[in-house]
């Protein structure tokens, strides 16, 4: 089996050209291009960066047609900007694109569709037709009249703060039959939107009745709320239905004690929730219950995309919580409270929370991806104690428990987050829950485990009276024993690579599976403000692992940072890239999953940079030391130069083998091009550098399965199949009890190890062979088995290899 060659093109720099505008999201995604004000159709608010302070010659198009009447251009919103224009008659279904200084943005898809446009004004009357010239007076009338596809724009000062009279203790109830025909499961969404620049309120801002601002009952969903100020004890709750879009709203509830639970914003038994660009703040009284959160995606809320929000100053407990509890007695007869799935929490700023910044519990990634990335979290877990003396004090907490129904399995992906001053509460009611990232191992004994994969996270710890050397970076709990994992334990439930860990001393605690960490001052702009951007000399630059094409739910922003800057193939560690960097440097990674140095002799590495070769070429065996005019030379610590055998060359990437006999220690690597130019960099050479090859971005192992029946070896079986040009797992059958199944794994940098151990699905499996793969340069082969029958039916299981105490990247196979 030939090793997988990394195919990402990696420029290790951001160029100095002008920055094109970047679009994050829009408030509505469909609407009419006629009617409304001056017959120009719906207003669309667009949120992103690099729009400029005024429109000038900049333009917005939809489906190639120009938008018109831009009332807002480049106005600040949170840490980015917004535009608000009308569609105009030239708009057509297709890509929405903003062009500034001749540079087009990334597209957002928009549907031009029929519908009525209404207006609500403090000077209007509900007996009016609801036009711009003759608006309605109340949002309740808008709710009652609107049909699918209709949009109501509320003018400045419009407020619905009193009880709407439905008997549901709410200012505005949505119902799809029980109280009124105000929701629908099909067709285009209805939308309530603040007119550009208007202040609009739903709910009682004084803390008095009604308790709820927005509430749903028997609502099928299909609704958009944008630019609204939600108020009340429980300002906004979507309790049923699907397809809710909350955008750029102002949500606060400073009077809420939350003794019965809840949040400033909460969903329950709702799906397809898009929560973009909202400001949630001053949540809860100083003595609020631990059951109260800032944002809460609760019972059976699936398909959630939360991005570009600011959540701050949360009392009670967590800034953002994902948790599912049964609404009845639990058990098979209760259809509620099952593990949640398809959830993405990204590009948010979350700070000053009493308990965890983000907690994601009761989830099942095997049913849909769970990802947390590009978030900036600071001053999370500050305390003090809440009335229940409960909670955790981490920036990110993944307990992995199940309240009802089947236990979840799979991996939570946590990458490119910046976490600062986590867990500073100095008097917690129990220990070992003040951390940067926690895997709390709450699965029931024998259940499939939730794994946590951490890459490219920047954790800046601070000293406290409880932790005078700095709050721990990670904690791992063993879900089988229920005990805290000791420093030397192999605890595979939390694993990862290329994290920057600073402030709590060298990374030592629970880090047997956390490899390739950088322990250096990240050189942030300011820790006192704080401003957690990287400065130009930060060691986090160009130091991340290659994330690749990873599955996320909803809006995929994995290719950009928190500010919208594009990420190179080798990203910075943390939520931010360094903009306008002129540095172009050679970056070397192990050619499996991008692990960093040291590299072993005979290991296969990938070198990234610019102008490395004149063209692209793939070698054949036996390997040569020049390919398409490119050559790589290593000069080792003894001053001896070695020509590296080459597998592949391109202008931005070269794959080569560390020459046999290269001495350990610092080495200089030189890449020479056919045009006469050369570039140099430094790397460290060690004895081993274990890595396992992957067949896809999800970490599918490059492996073969070998069944043995009655002592007779059968034909090798693939662990993969090709489905619509994608490489996906081919489940392995462990067969009847009399059959044994072995695995042949392929990697690099392993052959010189004195001791190799492997776990599959958390179970130790014997290692039978661990040497060079016959006939393949630089490739190592590790044979393991037999696989225990206890793994049957487990689905996707992680394979973790450790060589002389160094962990390789985690790979996986699927077992039926």
């Amino acid at each position: 089996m030939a090793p997988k060659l990394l195919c990402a093109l990696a420029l290790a720099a951001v160029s100095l050209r002008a920055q094109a505008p970047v679009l994050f999201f829009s408030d509505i995604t469909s609407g009419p291009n006629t009617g409304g004000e001056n017959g120009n159709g719906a207003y669309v608010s667009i949120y992103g960066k690099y729009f400029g302070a005024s429109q000038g010659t900049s333009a917005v198009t939809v489906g190639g047609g120009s938008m018109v009447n831009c009332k807002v251009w480049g106005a600040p919103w949170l840490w980015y900007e917004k535009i608000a224009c009308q569609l105009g008659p030239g708009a057509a279904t297709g890509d929405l694109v903003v062009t500034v200084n001749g540079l087009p943005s990334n597209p957002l898809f928009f549907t031009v569709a029929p519908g009525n446009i209404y207006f609500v004004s403090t000077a209007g009357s509900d007996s009016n037709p609801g036009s711009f010239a003759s608006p309605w007076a109340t949002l309740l009338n808008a709710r009652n009249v609107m049909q699918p596809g209709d949009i109501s724009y509320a003018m400045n000062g419009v407020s619905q703060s009193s009880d709407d009279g439905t008997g549901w203790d709410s200012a505005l109830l949505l119902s799809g039959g029980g109280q009124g025909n105000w929701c629908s499961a099909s067709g285009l969404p209805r939308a309530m939107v603040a007119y550009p620049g208007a202040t609009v309120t739903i709910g009682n801002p004084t803390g008095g009745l009604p308790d709820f601002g927005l509430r749903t009952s028997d609502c099928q969903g299909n609704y958009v709320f944008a630019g609204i100020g939600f108020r009340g004890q429980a300002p906004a709750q979507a309790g049923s239905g699907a397809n809710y879009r909350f955008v750029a709203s102002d949500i606060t509830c400073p009077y809420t004690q939350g003794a019965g639970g809840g949040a400033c914003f909460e969903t329950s038994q709702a799906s397809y929730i898009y929560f973009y660009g909202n400001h949630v703040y001053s949540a809860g009284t100083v003595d609020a219950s631990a059951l109260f959160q800032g944002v809460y995606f609760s019972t059976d809320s699936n398909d959630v995309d939360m991005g570009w929000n600011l959540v701050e100053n949360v009392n009670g407990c967590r800034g953002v919580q994902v948790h599912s509890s049964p609404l009845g007695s639990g058990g098979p007869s209760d259809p509620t409270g099952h593990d949640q799935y398809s959830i993405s929490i990204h590009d948010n700023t979350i700070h000053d929370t009493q308990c965890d910044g983000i907690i994601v519990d009761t989830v099942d990634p095997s049913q849909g991806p769970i990802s947390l990335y590009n978030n900036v979290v600071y001053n999370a877990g500050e305390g003090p104690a809440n009335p229940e003396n409960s909670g955790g004090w981490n920036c990110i907490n993944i307990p992995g428990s199940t309240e009802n129904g089947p236990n979840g399995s799979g991996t939570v992906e946590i990458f490119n987050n910046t976490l600062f001053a986590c867990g500073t509460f100095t008097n917690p009611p129990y220990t070992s829950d003040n951390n940067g990232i926690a895997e709390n191992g709450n699965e029931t004994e024998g259940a499939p485990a939730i794994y946590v994969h951490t890459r490219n996270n920047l954790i800046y710890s601070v000293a406290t009276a409880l932790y005078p050397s700095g709050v721990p970076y990670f904690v791992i709990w063993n879900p089988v024993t229920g005990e805290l994992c000791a420093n030397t334990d192999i605890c595979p439930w939390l694993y990862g690579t290329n994290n920057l860990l600073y402030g709590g001393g060298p990374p030592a605690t629970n880090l047997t599976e956390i490899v390739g960490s950088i322990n250096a001052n990240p050189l942030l702009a300011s820790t006192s403000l704080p401003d957690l951007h990287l400065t130009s000399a930060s060691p986090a630059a160009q130091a991340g692992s290659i994330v690749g094409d990873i599955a996320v739910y909803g809006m995929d922003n994995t290719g950009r940072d928190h500010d919208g800057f594009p990420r190179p193939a080798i990203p910075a560690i943390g939520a931010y890239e360094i903009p306008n960097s002129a540095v172009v440097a050679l970056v070397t990674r192990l050619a499996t999953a991008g692990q960093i140095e040291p590299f072993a002799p005979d290991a296969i590495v990938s070198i990234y940079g610019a102008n490395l070769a004149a063209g692209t070429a793939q070698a054949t065996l036996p390997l040569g030391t020049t390919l398409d005019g490119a050559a790589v030379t290593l000069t080792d610590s003894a001053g001896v130069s070695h020509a590296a055998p080459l597998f592949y060359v391109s202008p931005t990437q070269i794959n080569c083998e560390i020459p046999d006999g290269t001495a350990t220690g610092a080495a200089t690597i030189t890449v020479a091009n056919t045009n006469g130019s050369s570039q140099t960099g430094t790397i460290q050479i060690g004895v081993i550098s274990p890595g396992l090859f992957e067949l896809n971005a999800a970490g599918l192992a490059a492996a073969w399965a070998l069944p043995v029946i009655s002592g007779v070896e059968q034909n090798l079986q693939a662990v993969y199949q090709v489905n619509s040009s994608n490489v996906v797992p081919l489940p392995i059958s462990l067969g009847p009890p009399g059959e044994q199944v072995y695995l042949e794994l392929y990697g690099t940098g392993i052959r010189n190890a004195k001791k190799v151990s492997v776990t599959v699905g958390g179970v130790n499996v014997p290692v039978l062979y661990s040497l060079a793969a016959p006939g393949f340069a630089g490739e190592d082969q590790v044979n393991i088995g037999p696989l225990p029958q206890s793994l049957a039916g487990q689905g996707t299981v992680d394979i973790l290899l450790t060589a002389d105490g160094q962990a390789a990247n985690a790979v996986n196979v699927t077992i039926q």
Side-chain angles (χ1 to χ4, degrees):
M1 178 180 295
K4 176 193 173 191
L5 297 178
L6 299 178
C7 60
L9 298 181
L11 269 177
V14 177
S15 68
L16 287 173
R17 66 175 176 83
Q19 173 63 47
V22 174
L23 308 187
F24 295 158
F25 56 90
S26 62
D27 57 354
I28 59 174
T29 58
S30 64
N33 63 350
T34 59
E37 185 177 352
N38 298 320
N40 285 322
Y43 279 99
V44 183
S45 291
I46 306 158
Y47 295 81
K49 290 204 73 172
Y50 320 115
F51 296 152
S54 60
Q55 183 174 6
T57 59
S58 301
V60 192
T61 57
V62 178
S66 296
M67 294 182 70
V68 300
N69 191 26
C70 295
K71 286 189 172 294
V72 176
W73 193 280
W77 178 254
L78 302 182
W79 63 92
Y80 42 98
E81 303 150 19
K82 65 179 178 180
I83 295 169
C85 308
Q86 280 183 280
L87 286 172
T93 295
D95 288 339
L96 188 159
V97 176
V98 175
T99 301
V100 178
N101 294 324
L103 298 174
S105 70
N106 59 296
L108 296 176
F109 191 78
F110 192 93
T111 301
V112 174
N116 297 305
I117 298 175
Y118 299 112
F119 295 86
V120 180
S121 168
T122 57
S125 168
D126 286 345
S127 62
N128 287 342
S131 65
F132 182 75
S134 298
W136 292 326
T138 68
L139 293 175
L140 296 182
N141 192 62
R143 174 199 65 183
N144 298 345
V145 173
M146 279 197 300
Q147 297 299 308
D150 293 350
I151 304 171
S152 289
Y153 290 98
M155 311 302 284
N156 191 50
V158 168
S159 175
Q160 174 55 39
S161 58
S162 61
D163 196 298
D164 67 358
T166 59
W168 280 81
D169 189 23
S170 61
L172 194 149
L173 178 76
L174 292 183
S175 176
Q179 301 292 322
N181 186 24
W182 307 320
C183 305
S184 58
S186 61
L188 295 167
R190 297 167 167 90
M192 282 191 179
V193 181
Y195 184 82
T199 298
V200 179
T201 305
I202 294 176
N204 189 335
T206 68
L209 296 176
D211 286 332
F212 293 85
L214 171 71
R215 197 176 190 185
T216 63
S217 170
D218 302 316
C219 181
Q220 297 82 17
N222 229 10
Y223 234 100
V224 177
F225 289 92
I228 307 294
F230 289 101
R231 301 292 186 266
Q233 297 284 337
Q237 292 202 349
S240 58
N243 193 22
Y244 290 98
R245 190 175 180 91
F246 289 85
V247 176
S249 291
D250 181 282
I251 307 172
T252 184
C253 52
Y255 304 104
T256 307
Q257 290 185 311
C264 251
F265 175 86
E266 182 179 5
T267 66
S268 175
Q269 295 184 288
S271 58
Y272 300 100
I273 309 297
Y274 305 98
F275 193 70
Y276 296 149
N278 300 286
H279 186 192
V280 182
Y281 60 99
S282 299
T285 60
V286 293
D287 58 348
S289 166
L291 301 176
F292 183 77
Q293 328 297 332
V295 176
Y296 190 3
F297 301 106
S298 73
T299 299
D300 303 304
S301 292
N302 302 313
D303 310 292
V304 174
D305 192 14
M306 176 182 177
W308 300 284
N309 303 278
L310 174 59
V311 180
E312 58 183 341
N313 302 319
V314 177
N315 291 313
C317 220
R318 287 92 180 195
V320 179
Q321 174 164 293
V322 175
H323 184 85
S324 185
S325 300
L327 301 179
S329 58
S333 62
D334 189 344
T336 66
H338 289 187
D339 285 349
Q340 297 164 234
Y341 53 86
S342 296
I343 296 171
S344 184
I345 300 173
H346 62 93
D347 296 283
N348 303 286
T349 297
I350 301 165
H351 69 89
D352 290 274
T353 63
Q354 195 163 335
C355 300
D356 304 310
I358 304 172
I359 184 169
V360 176
D361 195 9
T362 63
V363 291
D364 186 359
S366 69
Q367 295 193 63
I370 310 293
S371 61
L372 294 82
Y373 67 94
N374 282 0
N375 297 292
V376 175
V377 185
Y378 62 91
N379 297 344
E382 294 182 300
N386 46 49
E388 294 85 356
N389 274 324
S390 179
W393 302 276
N394 312 275
C395 275
I396 297 177
N397 188 358
I398 313 293
S401 64
T402 294
E403 296 284 341
N404 195 31
N407 291 289
S409 63
T411 302
V412 175
E413 296 283 354
I414 302 177
F415 57 97
N416 281 110
N417 301 284
T418 292
L419 313 177
F420 171 68
C422 309
T424 56
F425 182 22
T426 58
N427 189 31
Y430 37 86
T431 60
S432 301
D433 220 349
N434 296 62
N435 304 277
I437 299 176
E439 184 281 323
N440 267 315
N442 289 342
E443 300 93 342
T444 56
E445 186 172 350
I450 296 295
Y451 289 82
V452 179
H453 189 192
T454 66
R455 288 175 287 176
N456 305 347
N457 298 293
L458 192 161
I459 306 178
Y460 191 128
S461 177
V462 300
T464 68
L466 184 63
Y467 292 99
S469 297
V471 173
Y473 306 118
F474 299 101
V475 69
I476 309 172
W477 290 85
N478 188 321
V480 177
T481 65
E483 300 294 331
L484 187 70
C485 291
N487 294 351
T488 56
D489 290 346
I490 296 177
C491 289
W493 301 281
L494 192 152
Y495 64 97
T497 185
N498 294 71
N499 299 287
L500 190 153
L501 311 174
Y502 180 72
T509 304
N510 311 133
L511 295 181
T512 55
E513 307 299 331
I514 304 292
V515 299
S517 301
I518 295 175
N519 185 219
N521 189 330
L523 301 179
L524 304 179
S526 172
T527 56
S528 58
L529 291 174
D531 177 355
L532 304 182
H533 287 80
L534 305 176
T535 57
S536 59
S538 173
Q542 302 177 27
S545 67
I546 301 167
V547 172
D549 184 15
I550 188 169
V552 298
Y553 178 75
M555 194 84 72
D556 186 349
N557 198 45
T558 56
R560 294 190 293 264
D561 76 347
H562 189 81
D563 282 341
F565 280 109
R567 288 198 184 273
I570 299 179
I573 295 175
Y576 298 108
E577 291 291 333
I578 299 177
N580 297 326
S581 171
V583 176
V584 178
L586 290 183
V587 177
T588 305
R589 295 283 185 265
L590 201 64
T592 51
Q595 297 102 306
I596 60 176
E597 55 196 3
F599 306 116
D602 301 304
I604 303 171
V605 297
S606 295
I607 304 166
Y608 300 91
N611 196 31
L612 301 180
T616 299
Q618 181 83 44
T620 58
L621 295 176
L623 297 179
T625 56
T626 61
L627 186 60
D628 202 29
V632 176
T633 303
L634 274 83
T635 303
D636 64 20
S637 60
V640 178
S641 294
H642 308 264
L646 304 178
F647 293 94
Y648 167 86
V649 300
S650 76
T652 56
Q653 178 180 344
I654 291 179
N655 293 343
C656 67
E657 181 182 7
I658 301 293
D660 187 29
T662 303
T664 59
T668 299
I669 188 167
T670 303
V671 178
N673 195 340
T674 187
N675 62 12
S677 66
S678 66
Q679 303 175 55
T680 62
T682 59
I683 60 173
Q684 289 290 324
I685 304 297
V687 176
I688 60 169
S689 52
L692 294 173
F693 291 115
E694 304 175 357
L695 296 177
N696 63 15
L700 176 61
W704 292 98
L706 176 65
V708 176
I709 301 177
S710 301
V712 179
E713 294 184 3
Q714 308 299 301
N715 292 329
L716 289 170
Q717 297 179 359
V719 302
Y720 72 95
Q721 57 190 330
V722 179
N723 182 6
S724 300
S725 300
N726 295 318
V727 178
V728 298
L730 180 62
I732 300 169
S733 172
L734 297 185
E739 182 176 338
Q740 294 180 318
V741 177
Y742 297 79
L743 281 181
E744 293 182 6
L745 303 170
Y746 294 88
T748 193
I750 303 169
R751 66 185 65 179
N752 296 323
K754 296 178 180 179
K755 180 180 179 181
V756 176
S757 61
V758 176
T759 64
V760 180
V763 180
N764 286 307
V765 177
V767 176
L768 309 176
Y769 176 91
S770 176
L771 290 170
F776 294 103
E779 186 172 347
D780 298 332
Q781 179 175 331
V782 180
N783 297 346
I784 65 171
L787 298 179
Q789 284 286 332
S790 62
L791 295 175
Q794 295 293 306
T796 300
V797 293
D798 283 323
I799 300 174
L800 300 175
L801 179 147
T802 302
D804 288 351
Q806 293 188 39
N809 54 300
V811 295
N812 59 73
V813 293
T814 299
I815 300 179
Q816 65 184 29

